Amino acid sequence: MASSVQTSPRIGKGVPPLRAGQGNSFFWRRLHSLSGIIPVGVFLTEHMISNFAATNGPPAYNDTVKFLTSLPALIVLEWVGIFIPILFHAGYGIYIWWRGDNNVTDYPWQGNWLYTLQRYTGIIVFAYILFHTYTMRFTGVHLATHPDQAFKKVHDELLHPWAMAIYVIGVVTASWHFGYGIFLFCAKWGIATGERARKRVRAFGIAVAILFMVLGLSSAYSFVNPKNQVPANSAASVNSSTQSGMTQAPATTDNQ
Amino acid sequence: MANKTVLIKIKRQANPESQPYWEEFELTWRPGMNVISSIMEIAANPVTRDGKKTTPIVYDSNCLEEVCGSCAMLINGRARMACSALIDKLDQPITLEPFSKFPVVRDLSVDRSVLFENLKAVKAWVPVDGTYDLGSGPRMTPDEQEGAYPLSRCISCCCCMEACPQFNESTGFVGAATISQVRLFNTHPTGKVLKQDRLSALMGDGGIQECGYAQNCVEVCPKDIPLTKSISEVGKDVMKKAVVDFFRQ
Ligand code: SF4
Ligand code: SF4
Ligand code: FES
């Protein structure tokens, strides 16, 4: 017995000890955390505010889209500021999710539920973003060249109850994921460390989540609000609100 | 009252390689029973519920007053200390299992040496060894003492690691206890000479970044150590060091 005391008595595998000073998972994991705030969170904030212009009617919305699509180096902004960061955040996020163990059944506590929820909302938001960019950015009327069709494009899509349901889910999950993500960011980076400070930041994050839900849902509603159903600057007839499904097809092919 | 009994299901395993199996025991209820006293009673008369003779349960325990940290196990699925788990406060049948994330030695006894390895990796000590007398160390203010004392109560039970969703074989996460010990020794007036070493150790794979802030650790810790605060505080120090290193190295 005595002779074997010096060697580590570990039996079997188990969880390996800390690999002090090795690897670069610290960099990637913190970059993932940061990317959720900058630029993805910043973009979400901009997107929520811009879309809120829809509540002022089609012309206001189309003007906002016109302004955004007139930004210089749009394609670079899109890829570097939005698409690549989102793809990285989602991809690395799925990797994080896959490596964690869900244990809410044994430890059904609030923090643990929210940890779990952060993973599920993340995957739902990502699926939603794929759908959303496919329908809004990569298919249909190209808005960068036809910003005046923006309101109509969203309006036509949201008329489908399924699309509306997907939007509602997307807005709610994205708002929550970002709001709670603000708390996680501040807690992990040591911006709020004490018990009370962390509670305050969490309340702030939840307030942001609720605010974004309200912004997002009221924007979504304005696209189908009967008051707003006149597609501005479009060649379609005035009564298109009742036939939007029919006017959509020619408009789309015209502009391709 | 005379016939009141306690039903206990125990997950047993003869050796590290063999398959686990369940055994049921029924004990006569007595006032003030706890999980350890029940296993002791089984050891005195190792007979299962259906009258089969068996071997006594292997388990770790020492102090019997929640200060040594050895008796941690899964009680009704949750990581906690067996010596302070009162039978009257548990739903029956009571299930006892060894920790699920540590290699089983036998029955309820597991190998928790990973925590010791982690503490070594972050140099969780005050370096005072030398060839001559260094004299007395700097004084700690009462404020510092009050901050450090709760952290010093860690009993290395590993409950915080077992309950952590991020502590597993694929992350190799270091766990909350070690991070909290880093905070303890980094705030110690003599211990802080190793602060930079400890922070860089925690940046390695399996380091502090793996924490997903599920906060199970702080809920489950039998010594009520403010683990999430430790994680945030050390997270801040590690982040600062990462930024400073980036510009200075
Ligand atoms: S906060 Fe959660 S993820 Fe972090 S160490 Fe504690 S239990 Fe694990
Ligand atoms: S921090 Fe708490 S739960 Fe973790 S090992 Fe120490 S005493 Fe146990
Ligand atoms: S026997 Fe020491 S903590 Fe339970």
Side-chain angles (χ1 to χ4, degrees):
Chain A
M1 259 328 260
S3 60
S4 66
V5 169
Q6 287 308 310
T7 61
S8 175
R10 302 191 62 219
I11 294 168
K13 292 199 310 288
V15 179
L18 175 67
R19 279 81 72 210
Q22 291 171 33
N24 35 31
S25 64
F26 180 79
F27 173 79
W28 292 111
R29 186 75 197 244
R30 283 295 196 247
L31 187 67
H32 173 259
S33 178
L34 179 67
S35 68
I37 306 290
I38 304 167
V40 178
V42 172
F43 167 69
L44 180 70
T45 310
E46 177 278 311
H47 199 46
M48 286 288 182
I49 294 171
S50 306
N51 281 341
F52 196 64
T55 54
N56 284 331
Y61 183 74
N62 290 343
D63 285 348
T64 309
V65 176
K66 199 178 215 150
F67 163 71
L68 289 173
T69 51
S70 69
L71 291 173
L74 189 63
I75 195 93
V76 180
L77 272 182
E78 258 187 338
W79 280 95
V80 176
I82 307 173
F83 294 154
I84 294 172
I86 288 180
L87 284 173
F88 165 69
H89 190 80
Y92 200 79
I94 291 168
Y95 172 66
I96 293 172
W97 186 20
W98 169 67
R99 299 205 306 162
D101 301 329
N102 250 330
N103 60 10
V104 273
T105 33
D106 285 326
Y107 304 99
W109 297 316
Q110 199 187 48
N112 203 18
W113 273 110
L114 295 175
Y115 162 94
T116 309
L117 196 62
Q118 197 67 359
R119 277 133 187 84
Y120 281 99
T121 50
I123 196 80
I124 294 170
V125 174
F126 185 52
Y128 167 75
I129 290 173
L130 291 178
F131 163 81
H132 182 54
T133 43
Y134 176 76
T135 56
M136 282 297 144
R137 169 66 180 77
F138 293 108
T139 56
V141 183
H142 188 236
L143 295 183
T145 42
H146 298 90
D148 57 332
Q149 299 287 315
F151 192 92
K152 186 171 158 23
K153 185 175 184 182
V154 185
H155 162 80
D156 290 347
E157 169 151 319
L158 289 185
L159 277 185
H160 301 285
W162 275 110
M164 186 49 119
I166 292 173
Y167 267 72
V168 170
I169 293 170
V171 164
V172 170
T173 48
S175 303
W176 182 266
H177 191 84
F178 177 56
Y180 195 67
I182 296 174
F183 162 73
L184 290 176
F185 176 82
C186 292
K188 290 183 191 173
W189 288 57
I191 293 164
T193 61
E195 197 66 38
R196 288 228 303 283
R198 270 184 284 119
K199 279 225 172 87
R200 279 198 292 265
V201 170
R202 205 181 61 166
F204 172 77
I206 293 173
V208 169
I210 293 170
L211 175 72
F212 277 29
M213 287 177 201
V214 172
L215 284 179
L217 295 180
S218 43
S219 310
Y221 174 70
S222 3
F223 286 103
V224 291
N225 187 344
K227 236 175 56 204
N228 287 333
Q229 281 189 10
V230 187
N233 307 328
S234 85
S237 57
V238 201
N239 63 347
S240 66
S241 60
T242 51
Q243 324 169 335
S244 49
M246 295 164 72
T247 53
Q248 178 189 25
T252 312
T253 42
D254 276 2
N255 291 302
Q256 276 297 354
Chain B
M1 272 315 253
N3 292 328
K4 202 170 155 190
T5 58
V6 178
L7 197 60
I8 303 181
K9 288 173 71 178
I10 302 177
K11 194 178 187 181
R12 307 201 54 179
Q13 185 171 330
N15 62 58
E17 279 79 41
S18 65
Q19 284 303 307
Y21 59 96
W22 288 89
E23 271 185 359
E24 277 185 36
F25 299 89
E26 196 168 5
L27 306 173
T28 329
W29 180 87
R30 282 183 295 111
M33 285 172 101
N34 65 43
V35 168
I36 291 289
S37 78
S38 307
I39 315 177
M40 284 174 167
E41 222 172 290
I42 294 171
N45 177 31
V47 176
T48 65
R49 195 181 179 202
D50 25 65
K52 207 174 88 233
K53 220 173 152 37
T54 181
T55 48
I57 318 294
V58 171
Y59 64 99
D60 289 316
S61 83
N62 191 354
C63 68
L64 306 185
E65 53 177 4
E66 207 179 67
V67 291
C68 77
S70 58
C71 66
M73 57 183 73
L74 295 177
I75 300 172
N76 286 348
R78 198 172 289 176
R80 56 181 298 185
M81 308 314 290
C83 65
S84 58
L86 296 174
I87 297 292
D88 289 348
K89 291 195 179 158
L90 295 169
D91 289 337
Q92 292 200 32
I94 297 163
T95 60
L96 304 182
E97 294 163 81
F99 270 0
S100 63
K101 297 178 182 175
F102 299 80
V104 172
V105 178
R106 182 174 168 147
D107 293 344
L108 301 174
S109 172
V110 293
D111 180 357
R112 283 172 283 175
S113 52
V114 62
L115 177 54
F116 188 51
E117 298 301 323
N118 285 337
L119 291 172
K120 284 195 285 187
V122 299
K123 306 191 179 170
W125 57 75
V126 175
V128 287
D129 289 347
T131 50
Y132 61 94
D133 184 3
L134 294 170
S136 56
R139 292 181 75 99
M140 284 177 88
T141 65
D143 254 12
E144 290 169 330
Q145 290 170 19
E146 252 168 57
Y149 180 67
L151 307 177
S152 73
R153 285 184 316 203
C154 175
I155 55 178
S156 303
C157 61
C158 300
C159 284
C160 55
M161 293 145 83
E162 171 71 22
C164 172
Q166 289 294 109
F167 181 81
N168 59 43
E169 282 176 40
S170 70
T171 60
F173 178 39
V174 66
T178 308
I179 297 172
S180 194
Q181 290 304 296
V182 166
R183 177 165 162 230
L184 172 65
F185 288 102
N186 280 357
T187 46
H188 187 280
T190 309
K192 70 174 169 226
V193 298
L194 294 176
K195 181 172 177 177
Q196 300 305 320
D197 290 8
R198 296 195 190 100
L199 296 179
S200 359
L202 281 185
M203 280 185 226
D205 281 355
I208 191 166
Q209 68 275 8
E210 292 292 350
C211 167
Y213 231 80
Q215 303 165 63
N216 285 353
C217 50
V218 72
E219 295 276 353
V220 88
C221 176
K223 307 312 281 185
D224 292 327
I225 297 174
L227 294 170
T228 41
K229 178 163 187 186
S230 289
I231 292 166
S232 289
E233 288 283 350
V234 176
K236 177 191 71 194
D237 290 345
V238 168
M239 220 37 240
K240 266 194 199 154
K241 182 174 166 54
V243 173
V244 169
D245 285 358
F246 185 79
F247 288 107
R248 301 245 174 98
Q249 274 184 359

